[in-house]
Amino acid sequence: MNGQTPVQVEDGELALLTDLYQLTMLQAYWKEEMHERATFSLYFRKLPPTRRFMLACGQQHAAALASRVRFSAYSLKQLSETGRFDEAFLHWLAGFRFSGDIWALPEGTPVFQNEPFLEVDAPIAEAQLLESLIMNLVQLETVLASKAVRIVMAARGRPVVDFGLRRMHGVDAAVRGVRAYRTAGLAGTSNVLGGLRHGLPLSGTMAHSYVLAHDDERDSFRSFARHYPGTTLLVDTHDTLEGVRKIIELMEEEPGLGISAIRLDSGDLGILAHRARALLDEAGLDTIGIIASSGLDEHQIEALIADDTPIDAFGVGTQMGVSADAPVIDLSYKLVEYAGIPRVKHSTGKINLPGRKQLFRRRDADGTYLGDIIARREESIDGAVPLLVPLVCEGRVDQEHMAGAERARERVAQALTQLPADLRRLDPGETDYPVELSPALQRLQSELSLAPLKRKRPRER
Amino acid sequence: MNGQTPVQVEDGELALLTDLYQLTMLQAYWKEEMHERATFSLYFRKLPPTRRFMLACGQQHAAALASRVRFSAYSLKQLSETGRFDEAFLHWLAGFRFSGDIWALPEGTPVFQNEPFLEVDAPIAEAQLLESLIMNLVQLETVLASKAVRIVMAARGRPVVDFGLRRMHGVDAAVRGVRAYRTAGLAGTSNVLGGLRHGLPLSGTMAHSYVLAHDDERDSFRSFARHYPGTTLLVDTHDTLEGVRKIIELMEEEPGLGISAIRLDSGDLGILAHRARALLDEAGLDTIGIIASSGLDEHQIEALIADDTPIDAFGVGTQMGVSADAPVIDLSYKLVEYAGIPRVKHSTGKINLPGRKQLFRRRDADGTYLGDIIARREESIDGAVPLLVPLVCEGRVDQEHMAGAERARERVAQALTQLPADLRRLDPGETDYPVELSPALQRLQSELSLAPLKRKRPRER
C-alpha cells in the first residue's frame, strides 16, 4: 500500500486510464504529423448466447468523462519516467482536450449485433486515446443493465431489489452498477452510496448476524420490529417455518408490531414460500408479504412465478452483480474513417462496416420493432427513425441529449412493450430480428472489399 | 450526471460503501446497547467447479481501508435525509473508528473450502458495518488472481501480459486488478494507471487502427519500428502471413530496424504461429519473437503449448479480466462469536464453524502441502504452521504484516512449487486435498449443534 486513496481516480489521472499502446501510437501520430479527423465505431459482433438483446448503457458516463480527460503534471511526470516519450510530445499532451463529437444511442436502447452504438469523430489522437476508457465504461453498464432487465422481466411486475454490492467487481462497478440497475427498472438497492448517488431507493432488511447476536431469535424479531415499524424480518437463521411461527406468536402478543414482510434466504424457496404463506394466512396475517433471496437468477424467478409461488418481491445479488452467465461482451472500437476516407480491417472474414454511420429502427403502428437498418451517417430512410444522437459536440457535452437515468429507465420500460415477443424470451436461442445494411452502406462496403485501400508506394521510399 | 466525479470515492464516503441493513442493524445494536465484541469469519463453502484452489488476495487493501472508514459530515447529512436514523445515533456514527483486530491469510496464500481467510474481531457495530466493503474488496482480487495464476501456470514460464482494461468491470476493478495480476505472476500490463500504481511493468504494442490510419501497411510498420526500436508489430490487420512477409522485406531493406516481435491477434493461432515462425526463420530472423493474443484462456494456451506452438509470450484480456468461467465466489462473512460466546447459523445443513479460528497447513520435508487443519484461534498443532496473521491490531494497520505486492508475488511463485500436482491441473475436477477440523473445533461444533444457544426468556419480557 502506498498511502494513495485506492478507490480514487483524480480527473488528472483519467488520461492514464488507457492502454500503453494508445500513448505510443499517439506519439507516433504526433511524430508523423497525423492530425486528421478519424471516426471510431463501437459495436459488438454477436450477442452472448444467453442474451436476445443488449441494453446500450454507459454512453453518458463515457461522454462526460471523455470531455474531462486531461493529463495532470504528475501524470506527465510519471509518463516521462517510463523513458518511452519525448519531452516535446509530453508537452503537447499537457494541452490535450477532447475537441471532437460523440454520437451514441440514447441510454436504455435495445441494441443488436454489428450495430454502431457509439461513434467518436475527432482528431485521431483524441479518439484513439479514449478507446480503453470508453470501452470499459460502456461495457460495465451495458452488461449489468442487460442482465438486470432480464430479471425485471422474469419478476413480472414484482419489485426486484439489488443486493449485489458484496459480489460486484470492485467499488466502481458496485456504485455505478446501481445506475445501470435504475435504467433496467429495479425497484431499489441495498447499496447505500450507489443508491444515494444514482437516485435508486435504498432498501434493506436484517442479516443472520443480528439474530445470532441475540440469545433468542424471537427477542431479536421483537426488538427489530419495535425499532423499525413496517420492517422485514429474516426468518431462516435456524429453521424457516419455526421462524414464521415465532412471528405469528409475536403478532398475537403485540398486534401493533408493524411487520410488513418476511424474508426467505435459503432452502427450497418454492416449498417454503407456500408453507410460510399458508401459516401466515391461517393466522390472519395476509398483509405480511414474502421476500425471497438466495442466489436467484431470471430462470429461477421465472420458474417460481410459473409455479404460482407466493413471493411478493425478490432480492438479487450474486448472479446479477457480475452478470454471471455473460460477464463480458466482445465490444470492438474500430477505426472506420481517417482523413475523410472510409477504412476497414479485412483479414478475418468478420463483418466490419466502414465510415461514419447511423442506425435506423423500423416500427409498426403500435411501436413494435420490425427491424433495424445500419446506414451511412448522412442517410435518411423512409419510415425509420434515426437513433444515434450527438452526446458531445466539439468537446462540449450536449445537455439536451444527456437526459439522465430517469429518462433511460422510461425508455427501457417502453422498449419492453415494443420488443417482439421472441426477443423477450429468457431462454437461450437465436432470434431472427432483422439487422440489415442500407444499400449505400453495402455499396461502400463492397467497394472497399473489392479494392482495399492500398496505394502502393515505391519501395525506396 | 450530477457533476460529481464519478470514479471517485472520498475517504468520508467509505462508510457508505455498505448495505443499508448494516446501518439499520447498527442503529438497533446502539439502541439495545449491544456493544460487546464480535468475531466475523470470511470463507467460501465450495470452490467454483473450474478451480482447484483460490489465491487469497485483497486482504491488505481491505485492512487498510477498514482502518480509515469514517462518516463525513456530508455522509451523515445524507443518512439523516433518508428519515431512517435518529440524530443521536448519527452523532454516535460521527465518532466511528475501527478499533478492532483483523486476522488474515497472507496475500497470495492458496485457500480451500471452509477455510477462514479473514476474521474481524471488534465491537459488533464496527465488524458489522465493514462486512460489505471487505467482501467486495477481497472477492475482487481473489477472483482475479485465482484466474490469472491459472494462465501463468498454462504459459509454463512464457511471459503473460494483461490486456484486460477495456473488458474489466469498471475502473476500480481494472486498476486494482493489476495488483492481483502482479501477485499472480504476470509479467506486465497494458493498463497505464494500474501498472504505475501497482508496480507491474507497462507493456504495449500497436493496434489495427494505427495500420489502418496509414495508407499502406508496410509504411505503418516502418514508421512504428523507426519510432520504437525493439518494438512489436501487429501483423493481422489485412492478411497475417502477408504482414509477416512485409516485415521480412522491411528488414531486408533496413536491417537496422529493431523489431523484436510480431503479434498475432486473430485466426488460428496454432497454424499462423507455425507458418510465421517458418517464414521468419527462413529469412534468418530467428531473433524476432511471436506474441499471441485473441480471447485466450488457460485451456487454449495449454493446448497451444502442448502442440509446441512457437509462441513466446501471451497477451490476455477478456477471459482473465472478468474471470469469465468463475466471475464470483460465494463468500460468506458470518458472525461466529459474540460477547465471548461462539455462535453459528444452523438451518441449512451447511458447514458453519463457530468461534475465532486459526488455519494450519502441514507440509512434507520439501514443503509440499499435505493438508490443512481448521482449528480454534488459540490452538497450536504439532508439525503444522499457523497461517492467519494480524493485519490490523486495535484499529492500527500492522506494517510488518502488510508486506506488499512483491512479497505476495513471491509467495505465489513458491506455492506453485509446493501445491500437490493434482491441484495444479487446469481441467475441472474434484480434488482430495484434505481440509480437516481440529478435535477442539469439532467438539465446539458438536456442542453447539446439540444444544444450540437458546436461553428461553419469559414471554412477557
Side-chain angles (χ1 to χ4, degrees):
Chain A
M1 307 307 297
N2 53 9
Q4 239 171 349
T5 308
V7 287
Q8 198 158 316
V9 176
E10 308 281 356
D11 266 24
E13 289 176 313
L14 281 176
L16 301 187
L17 281 170
T18 196
D19 291 296
L20 180 65
Y21 73 2
Q22 316 286 12
L23 292 170
T24 48
M25 285 190 284
L26 253 62
Q27 179 167 258
Y29 294 140
W30 176 81
K31 289 188 175 185
E32 298 169 49
E33 296 184 6
M34 291 174 66
H35 299 302
E36 300 284 333
R37 274 181 99 79
T39 299
F40 284 77
S41 188
L42 186 74
Y43 60 96
F44 54 86
R45 288 215 177 79
K46 55 180 187 183
L47 289 163
T50 51
R51 297 286 177 276
R52 289 170 180 248
F53 64 93
M54 300 295 284
L55 288 179
C57 288
Q59 302 94 300
Q60 292 193 25
H61 189 62
L65 288 197
S67 69
R68 293 208 328 252
V69 165
R70 306 281 184 275
F71 288 87
S72 68
Y74 180 66
S75 295
L76 292 170
K77 178 168 170 287
Q78 288 184 291
L79 291 181
S80 174
E81 286 167 4
T82 67
R84 297 170 190 264
F85 303 103
D86 294 356
E87 289 306 313
F89 169 67
L90 294 173
H91 181 75
W92 182 73
L93 283 187
F96 183 96
R97 300 286 184 276
F98 182 73
S99 68
D101 304 334
I102 299 179
W103 287 64
L105 295 180
E107 291 196 315
T109 303
V111 60
F112 303 92
Q113 68 283 357
N114 298 314
E115 297 186 346
F117 67 90
L118 183 146
E119 292 201 331
V120 178
D121 306 317
I124 191 165
E126 299 172 22
Q128 183 81 63
L129 178 71
L130 294 177
E131 171 175 15
S132 319
L133 182 62
I134 287 174
M135 290 179 78
N136 177 290
L137 299 174
V138 170
Q139 184 194 256
L140 175 67
E141 285 194 51
T142 294
V143 161
L144 294 180
S146 301
K147 177 68 173 180
V149 74
R150 292 168 58 83
I151 295 179
V152 169
M153 289 191 291
R156 295 179 172 266
R158 292 163 191 81
V160 177
V161 175
D162 158 39
F163 284 177
L165 165 57
R166 64 192 58 192
R167 307 288 189 209
M168 296 170 82
H169 279 196
V171 163
D172 186 37
V175 174
R176 207 147 43 76
V178 174
R179 189 173 188 286
Y181 292 155
R182 179 173 171 186
T183 300
L186 261 65
T189 179
S190 68
N191 177 333
V192 178
L193 186 59
L196 290 173
R197 272 204 187 169
H198 297 299
L200 192 62
L202 298 182
S203 177
T205 60
M206 68 196 301
H208 300 115
S209 52
Y210 182 81
V211 176
L212 288 170
H214 288 75
D215 293 341
D216 183 88
E217 187 178 31
R218 220 159 59 101
D219 289 348
S220 76
F221 289 163
R222 183 193 293 109
S223 300
F224 208 75
R226 284 181 180 168
H227 299 318
Y228 300 108
T231 194
T232 297
L233 297 173
L234 177 63
V235 293
D236 73 329
T237 302
H238 299 299
D239 176 289
T240 300
L241 297 177
E242 274 305 304
V244 175
R245 289 189 192 98
K246 286 175 189 170
I247 286 174
I248 292 169
E249 288 169 22
L250 265 184
M251 290 296 285
E252 285 167 0
E253 286 169 35
E254 196 168 333
L257 271 186
I259 298 172
S260 69
I262 60 169
R263 177 158 75 101
L264 312 176
D265 188 44
S266 57
D268 184 319
L269 296 176
I271 293 173
L272 291 172
H274 276 292
R275 294 197 182 155
R277 183 74 272 154
L279 289 173
L280 291 168
D281 288 350
E282 280 164 29
L285 297 172
D286 54 354
T287 60
I288 295 186
I290 298 177
I291 298 175
S293 53
S294 174
L296 291 169
D297 66 12
E298 63 270 39
H299 304 294
Q300 292 171 45
I301 291 173
E302 188 174 46
L304 286 167
I305 288 176
D307 285 349
D308 282 327
T309 311
I311 293 174
D312 303 290
F314 296 94
V316 183
T318 306
Q319 298 297 315
M320 186 172 74
V322 294
S323 183
D325 61 333
V328 74
I329 40 171
D330 205 9
L331 278 179
S332 293
Y333 180 92
K334 291 292 179 194
L335 180 77
V336 294
E337 186 168 313
Y338 178 65
I341 303 171
R343 298 172 194 239
V344 75
K345 179 173 178 298
H346 288 289
S347 71
T348 55
K350 297 170 187 166
I351 296 177
N352 291 290
L353 301 172
R356 293 152 42 107
K357 287 177 288 296
Q358 178 56 279
L359 178 65
F360 291 87
R361 183 154 286 164
R362 289 182 299 112
R363 302 163 189 261
D364 71 11
D366 297 330
T368 302
Y369 300 2
L370 297 174
D372 293 353
I373 303 155
I374 307 173
R376 300 192 69 173
R377 178 80 61 80
E378 63 277 11
E379 288 189 78
S380 58
I381 291 185
D382 276 353
V385 182
L387 297 181
L388 292 170
V389 296
L391 281 186
V392 178
C393 296
E394 298 183 4
R396 283 165 194 267
V397 170
D398 182 316
Q399 292 305 334
E400 182 195 334
H401 290 116
M402 295 289 272
E406 194 54 30
R407 183 68 194 89
R409 181 185 175 98
E410 290 162 11
R411 188 174 293 113
V412 171
Q414 190 180 42
L416 293 185
T417 69
Q418 298 176 331
L419 280 166
D422 180 40
L423 299 187
R424 282 182 275 120
R425 289 175 54 176
L426 300 176
D427 53 327
E430 301 279 310
T431 72
D432 55 1
Y433 185 75
V435 177
E436 294 162 5
L437 307 187
S438 76
L441 183 57
Q442 284 180 45
R443 270 196 304 279
L444 179 65
Q445 195 191 20
S446 60
E447 281 165 27
L448 283 177
S449 68
L450 291 174
L453 185 82
K454 271 191 197 170
R455 298 184 202 146
K456 264 288 194 216
R457 307 261 170 119
R459 281 216 176 177
E460 61 279 12
R461 194 187 165 226
Chain B
M1 308 306 297
N2 52 11
Q4 241 171 345
T5 309
V7 288
Q8 198 157 317
V9 176
E10 308 281 355
D11 267 24
E13 290 175 313
L14 281 176
L16 301 187
L17 281 170
T18 195
D19 290 296
L20 180 66
Y21 74 2
Q22 315 287 11
L23 292 170
T24 49
M25 287 190 283
L26 253 62
Q27 179 166 260
Y29 294 140
W30 175 81
K31 288 188 176 186
E32 298 169 48
E33 296 184 5
M34 291 174 66
H35 300 300
E36 300 285 331
R37 273 181 100 78
T39 299
F40 284 78
S41 189
L42 186 74
Y43 59 97
F44 55 86
R45 289 214 175 81
K46 56 179 186 184
L47 289 163
T50 51
R51 296 287 176 275
R52 289 169 180 248
F53 65 92
M54 300 295 285
L55 289 180
C57 290
Q59 303 95 300
Q60 292 193 25
H61 189 61
L65 288 196
S67 69
R68 295 210 325 252
V69 166
R70 307 281 184 274
F71 289 86
S72 68
Y74 180 67
S75 294
L76 293 170
K77 177 167 171 287
Q78 288 184 293
L79 291 180
S80 173
E81 285 167 3
T82 68
R84 298 169 189 265
F85 302 104
D86 295 356
E87 289 304 313
F89 169 67
L90 294 173
H91 181 75
W92 181 73
L93 284 187
F96 184 96
R97 299 286 183 278
F98 183 73
S99 68
D101 304 333
I102 299 179
W103 287 64
L105 296 180
E107 292 196 314
T109 304
V111 61
F112 303 92
Q113 67 283 356
N114 297 314
E115 296 185 347
F117 67 89
L118 183 146
E119 293 202 329
V120 179
D121 306 317
I124 190 165
E126 298 172 22
Q128 183 81 64
L129 178 71
L130 295 176
E131 172 176 13
S132 319
L133 183 61
I134 288 174
M135 290 178 79
N136 177 289
L137 299 175
V138 170
Q139 185 195 255
L140 174 67
E141 285 194 50
T142 294
V143 162
L144 293 181
S146 301
K147 177 67 172 181
V149 75
R150 292 167 58 82
I151 295 178
V152 169
M153 290 191 291
R156 296 179 171 266
R158 292 163 191 79
V160 177
V161 174
D162 158 40
F163 285 177
L165 165 57
R166 64 191 59 192
R167 306 289 189 209
M168 297 170 81
H169 279 195
V171 163
D172 186 38
V175 174
R176 207 147 44 74
V178 174
R179 190 173 187 286
Y181 293 154
R182 179 174 172 184
T183 300
L186 260 65
T189 179
S190 67
N191 177 333
V192 177
L193 186 59
L196 291 173
R197 272 205 187 168
H198 297 299
L200 192 62
L202 299 183
S203 179
T205 60
M206 68 197 298
H208 301 116
S209 52
Y210 182 81
V211 176
L212 287 172
H214 290 74
D215 293 341
D216 181 90
E217 187 177 31
R218 220 159 59 101
D219 289 348
S220 76
F221 289 163
R222 183 193 292 110
S223 299
F224 209 75
R226 285 180 179 170
H227 298 319
Y228 300 109
T231 194
T232 296
L233 297 173
L234 178 63
V235 293
D236 73 329
T237 302
H238 299 297
D239 176 289
T240 300
L241 297 178
E242 274 305 305
V244 176
R245 287 189 193 98
K246 287 175 188 168
I247 286 174
I248 292 168
E249 289 169 20
L250 266 185
M251 291 295 286
E252 284 167 3
E253 288 169 33
E254 194 168 334
L257 271 186
I259 298 173
S260 69
I262 61 168
R263 176 158 76 100
L264 311 176
D265 189 45
S266 57
D268 184 320
L269 297 177
I271 292 173
L272 291 172
H274 277 292
R275 294 197 182 156
R277 184 73 274 155
L279 289 173
L280 292 167
D281 288 350
E282 280 164 30
L285 297 173
D286 55 352
T287 59
I288 295 186
I290 297 177
I291 298 176
S293 53
S294 172
L296 291 169
D297 67 12
E298 63 270 39
H299 303 295
Q300 292 171 46
I301 291 174
E302 190 174 45
L304 286 167
I305 290 178
D307 285 348
D308 281 328
T309 310
I311 292 175
D312 303 290
F314 296 94
V316 184
T318 306
Q319 298 297 314
M320 186 172 75
V322 293
S323 182
D325 60 333
V328 74
I329 41 170
D330 205 9
L331 279 179
S332 294
Y333 179 92
K334 291 291 180 194
L335 181 78
V336 294
E337 187 167 311
Y338 178 65
I341 303 171
R343 299 171 195 238
V344 75
K345 179 173 178 296
H346 287 289
S347 69
T348 54
K350 298 169 188 166
I351 295 176
N352 291 291
L353 300 172
R356 294 153 42 107
K357 287 177 288 294
Q358 179 54 280
L359 178 65
F360 291 87
R361 182 155 288 165
R362 289 184 298 113
R363 301 164 189 260
D364 71 11
D366 297 328
T368 302
Y369 300 3
L370 297 173
D372 294 352
I373 303 155
I374 307 172
R376 300 192 67 173
R377 178 81 60 81
E378 63 278 10
E379 288 188 77
S380 57
I381 292 184
D382 278 353
V385 182
L387 297 181
L388 292 170
V389 297
L391 282 187
V392 178
C393 296
E394 298 182 5
R396 283 164 194 270
V397 170
D398 183 316
Q399 292 305 335
E400 183 195 334
H401 290 116
M402 295 289 272
E406 195 53 30
R407 183 70 194 89
R409 181 184 175 97
E410 290 161 12
R411 188 174 293 113
V412 172
Q414 190 179 44
L416 292 185
T417 70
Q418 298 176 331
L419 280 166
D422 179 41
L423 300 188
R424 281 182 276 120
R425 289 175 53 176
L426 299 176
D427 52 327
E430 300 280 310
T431 72
D432 55 359
Y433 185 75
V435 177
E436 294 162 4
L437 307 186
S438 75
L441 183 57
Q442 284 181 45
R443 271 197 303 280
L444 178 64
Q445 194 190 23
S446 61
E447 282 164 26
L448 282 178
S449 68
L450 290 173
L453 185 81
K454 271 191 197 172
R455 298 186 203 144
K456 263 289 196 218
R457 306 265 170 116
R459 282 217 178 176
E460 61 278 13
R461 195 186 165 227

